[in-house]
Amino acid sequence: MSPQYPKDRLVYDRIFSLFGERFLGNGLVTVCNHEHWHKQRRIMDPAFSRTYLIGLMETFNEKAEELMEKLEEMADGKKEFSMLSMMCRVTMDIIAKVAFGFELNALSDDQMPLPHAVTMVLEGLTKSRIPLIQYMPGKQKLIKEVRESVRLLRRVGKECIDRRREALQNGKEATLDILTQILKGDALEETRDDENILDNFMTFFVAG
């Protein structure tokens, strides 16, 4: 019943970084200061309004149609493929488009590295609970790949943020999506903290 939603700092500090690479940092999930969380949460609200979500149906339907076409191609009754992978890819295409305004095409491009990167960071998150895993000889390849995946996701996030910021500076109309709300929040804070903006990109991208 409390409006405070207290968070255990010990738990959330552990996902600030993943094997030494900044991961969710001080994003909406991990920030433990209630006042700071509440301010960010209020800024994000419009991107989850019913009216805005109804307006996204066209994108949801378009990506669902693409998935059906892809499944039709593959449904020859002979070869096996992973439905989990297909659903992850279509979901990723949707979150990229509706939250951050970019076309990812993960569904049509099997070589697209982002789905694998997300799988790796989630696996890293699970494995990071094992004490001293970083020092186990057999786990070094996994840890290296998790770190590279975190770096890749944050690099993509930075490119995405820079593009949107440039578009807004050039007078392009702001889309009411999560990325715009993240940038609005940063403008209100007047800190221009790019790392913090990236934390929220990571939070919504991985959660999505």
Side-chain angles (χ1 to χ4, degrees):
M1 299 302 287
S2 161
Q4 286 294 310
Y5 315 115
K7 291 180 181 176
D8 185 335
R9 186 169 287 281
L10 263 176
V11 173
Y12 291 94
D13 277 356
R14 274 164 60 188
I15 47 177
F16 178 93
S17 62
L18 201 50
F19 302 134
E21 288 291 334
R22 185 162 173 152
F23 178 44
L24 296 186
N26 284 318
L28 202 58
V29 164
T30 40
V31 68
C32 290
N33 176 311
H34 177 76
E35 204 178 312
H36 185 50
W37 172 85
H38 196 248
K39 196 189 286 182
Q40 282 196 68
R41 175 73 174 78
R42 246 193 349 259
I43 290 161
M44 296 295 176
D45 272 354
F48 293 93
S49 68
R50 187 170 182 271
T51 315
Y52 178 61
L53 291 172
I54 287 170
L56 301 177
M57 285 309 298
E58 195 177 328
T59 303
F60 296 155
N61 290 338
E62 178 197 319
K63 299 296 177 191
E65 288 295 338
E66 280 177 30
L67 174 65
M68 295 314 293
E69 282 168 25
K70 193 82 179 160
L71 291 177
E72 263 183 308
E73 271 174 43
M74 301 174 94
D76 58 4
K78 296 184 186 91
K79 62 173 166 275
E80 287 186 8
F81 62 93
S82 165
M83 276 304 290
L84 176 61
S85 168
M86 299 291 275
M87 294 307 286
C88 286
R89 284 170 183 274
V90 76
T91 308
M92 200 169 281
D93 277 348
I94 291 169
I95 194 82
K97 180 83 181 282
V98 303
F100 307 111
F102 72 96
E103 288 284 358
L104 196 57
N105 299 319
L107 191 61
S108 54
D109 181 3
D110 290 345
Q111 302 309 305
M112 160 61 62
L114 291 189
H116 179 67
V118 171
T119 302
M120 288 313 299
V121 296
L122 292 175
E123 191 178 341
L125 206 52
T126 309
K127 294 283 196 290
S128 67
R129 291 184 295 188
I130 301 168
L132 305 175
I133 186 170
Q134 277 167 277
Y135 306 104
M136 293 177 183
K139 301 292 181 187
Q140 294 313 301
K141 185 175 177 289
L142 169 82
I143 287 162
K144 182 172 179 280
E145 210 173 332
V146 170
R147 283 177 177 147
E148 283 169 0
S149 297
V150 173
R151 284 198 292 269
L152 171 67
L153 290 173
R154 289 186 80 90
R155 195 162 62 244
V156 168
K158 180 151 187 5
E159 286 166 13
C160 193
I161 288 157
D162 289 347
R163 275 200 305 271
R164 177 65 60 86
R165 206 181 248 145
E166 194 182 328
L168 292 173
Q169 282 165 356
N170 292 339
K172 203 173 170 199
E173 199 178 324
T175 321
L176 180 67
D177 60 12
I178 288 169
L179 184 57
T180 296
Q181 298 310 104
I182 289 171
L183 288 169
K184 261 190 200 167
D186 183 61
L188 286 174
E189 293 281 321
E190 294 177 347
T191 52
R192 182 68 196 259
D193 184 350
D194 280 7
E195 285 302 307
N196 211 54
I197 296 174
L198 267 176
D199 295 338
N200 269 321
F201 174 91
M202 289 289 281
T203 298
F204 283 101
F205 193 72
V206 174

